[in-house]
Amino acid sequence: MSDITARAAPRHPRGGLYFEDFVVGERIAHRLTRTVTQMDNMLFSNMTLNPQPLHIDAHFCATETEWGQPLMNSLFTLGLMIGISVNDTTVGTTIANLGMTDVRFPAPLFEGDTVRCTTDVADKRESRSRPDAGIVEFIHRAYKQDGALVAECRRQAFMRKRPQA
């Protein structure tokens, strides 16, 4: 496990790591955690025009589902997981997200659960077309308070290299 606060090279002024700073095989345990709420679920589902009662209808969930309560919207969970990682890794240094693959939600997340996340640096390579950039592949994982894995994905990010002095 890495202590990301003890890096020798300076970070981007906003706090992000540059392409060169990522070490393949490194695991970053993110400091931020977040307890998810009914309001998170309602707002996200409504903003994305998702009328699925599995997320927004407590009576439906209590009477017609195996869960007995609304599930957190999985795309909210995905966004939260990646969002939690940004402050420790890529704020100010991402040029673009290139893709997300192998997205899984192996256990349910409910309102009142607290999410913590880790990021593994799975791979990296220099850009073939841009000498000032590289591609880093991350594996993000989100866990709830009991340690259950609730989300996982691989993300490919186009990252800035450290500016030349």
Side-chain angles (χ1 to χ4, degrees), residues 40-108:
D40 295 330
N41 216 15
M42 292 298 290
L43 284 174
F44 187 86
S45 295
N46 284 313
M47 286 189 303
T48 58
L49 301 178
N50 183 343
Q52 177 53 255
L54 193 57
H55 304 308
I56 62 174
D57 186 331
H59 179 72
F60 169 84
C61 292
T63 60
E64 297 186 47
T65 74
E66 64 189 83
W67 309 111
Q69 61 182 315
L71 287 171
M72 293 302 292
N73 186 305
S74 59
L75 294 180
F76 169 80
T77 304
L78 177 66
L80 177 62
M81 174 177 66
I82 291 170
I84 285 174
S85 78
V86 168
N87 196 49
D88 292 328
T89 56
T90 64
V91 66
T93 54
T94 301
I95 297 167
N97 280 319
L98 300 177
M100 293 169 210
T101 61
D102 305 324
V103 177
R104 300 181 326 113
F105 303 99

Side-chain angles (χ1 to χ4, degrees), residues 83-155:
I84 285 174
S85 78
V86 168
N87 196 49
D88 292 328
T89 56
T90 64
V91 66
T93 54
T94 301
I95 297 167
N97 280 319
L98 300 177
M100 293 169 210
T101 61
D102 305 324
V103 177
R104 300 181 326 113
F105 303 99
L109 185 66
F110 301 109
E111 73 175 82
D113 285 335
T114 298
V115 175
R116 69 174 176 81
C117 300
T118 63
T119 295
D120 292 346
V121 180
D123 199 9
K124 74 178 203 178
R125 70 170 178 81
E126 293 190 6
S127 172
R128 293 183 190 103
S129 61
R130 290 197 37 187
D132 64 336
I135 298 168
V136 179
E137 184 171 35
F138 300 108
I139 301 173
H140 300 291
R141 292 184 180 92
Y143 304 88
K144 60 184 177 180
Q145 66 280 351
D146 64 2
L149 179 67
V150 295
E152 179 177 48
C153 83
R154 294 180 85 88
R155 177 171 71 110

